Amino acid sequence: MEKEKRIVAGFDVGGAHLKVTRAENGRIVAASTVATPLWQGLDKLAAGFRETEPIYRGAELNAFTMTGELSDIFPSREAGVAGLLHQIAARFPADSLIYAGPESFVSIDAAANLAMNVASANWHATATLAARLAGDGLLVDMGSTTTDIIPLEAGSLANEGYSDAERLLTGELVYTGFTRTFLFGIASSAPVRGKLTPLMNEYFASIADVHRILGVLDEADDRHPSADGKGKTVAGSIARLARMVGRDAGDLLPGEWRHVAAWFSERQLRTVHDAAFRVAGKLAPDAPIVGAGIGRWQIRRLAERMERRFIDFAGLIPADEAVRGEASSAAPASAVALLAAG
């Protein structure tokens, strides 16, 4: 008789996305990311759980991490953790596990008394798994909204900060991502036909538009409406980018708009590079960069600039070939599933 499979589901409950993975016998076999804009209400999370139910159906164990407590639907992080724990407890078995950073996994009841360890601990889960698999390196996980930069030494984390506030100060957290970042959060001006043009300080376009114009965006990774609610096409993205510099799309040639788009992507990379340069100072020169998240295209470029070998988290983790990319995009959910599986 075939041995019964050990099935563990991993969840990363974010403020913008719910990420869910399924591990069977210590291997990721399914992964999914769905949009759950919590700022619009907790019903969005409920809908996300319903949509991803096929991934976690029949799981023997459910493991959770979160960042959704930061959503402005909650008055504080502590209240957000409590609110999300309530949502989890109402839908999942009592023996479900919550990731609490240095405390590892705890029960739902215990997590309520460890709110500051539970809050935004998803980076810690990803880094812990990466350290076990890679040993030494610099984990760079660029998601839709943020980038985590964590030094790994001898199979352990070598981070200086833990809370968001601490990690912002150390460079271990950079608030820029591959799709949701507003362009005026990256630069205050852009070159247009050789003249540095101040930007319109409005949400006319996002970095997803930039990466769409450059042809490096997987449309499956852009799960939220565009700034104007219109089409997610290259033409639509050029129109939105044009508004940022007080122009219409027809004012420049397509190649010129691509040049403007490249500027914004470059500015984002420089911001991440500055932080990574600081964080990597303690690592050996031959320590690789481990890239995770939907922004691995940027992280590959970062590795080239830092003259470090690039290791894709997608290829590092045990996973079925067909789901490696999605499992890396949902890295914290993959991490808690694999860590909880032992």
Side-chain angles (χ1 to χ4, degrees), residues 215-260:
V216 297
L217 175 68
D218 183 341
E219 291 297 335
D221 292 331
D222 185 22
R223 293 176 168 86
H224 289 264
S226 63
D228 59 5
K230 296 182 180 179
K232 293 182 177 181
T233 63
V234 172
S237 288
I238 287 175
R240 289 186 285 271
L241 179 62
R243 294 188 190 103
M244 293 299 302
V245 291
R247 300 268 190 162
D248 291 326
D251 291 351
L252 274 69
L253 298 172
E256 292 177 300
W257 286 123
R258 183 181 174 85
H259 180 74
V260 176

Side-chain angles (χ1 to χ4, degrees), residues 106-119:
V106 298
S107 68
I108 296 175
D109 288 343
N113 296 316
L114 293 168
M116 291 304 99
N117 282 2
V118 171

Side-chain angles (χ1 to χ4, degrees), residues 10 13 29 33 41-43 72 97 102 118 127-128 137 155 160 207 219 248 257 266 282 295 310 326 332 338:
V13 183
V29 299
T33 300
L42 287 174
D43 59 309
D72 52 16
L97 298 178
V118 171
T128 296
E160 292 185 16
I207 195 72
E219 291 297 335
D248 291 326
W257 286 123
E266 172 67 20
K282 64 180 69 176
F310 176 84
E326 188 64 33
L338 294 170

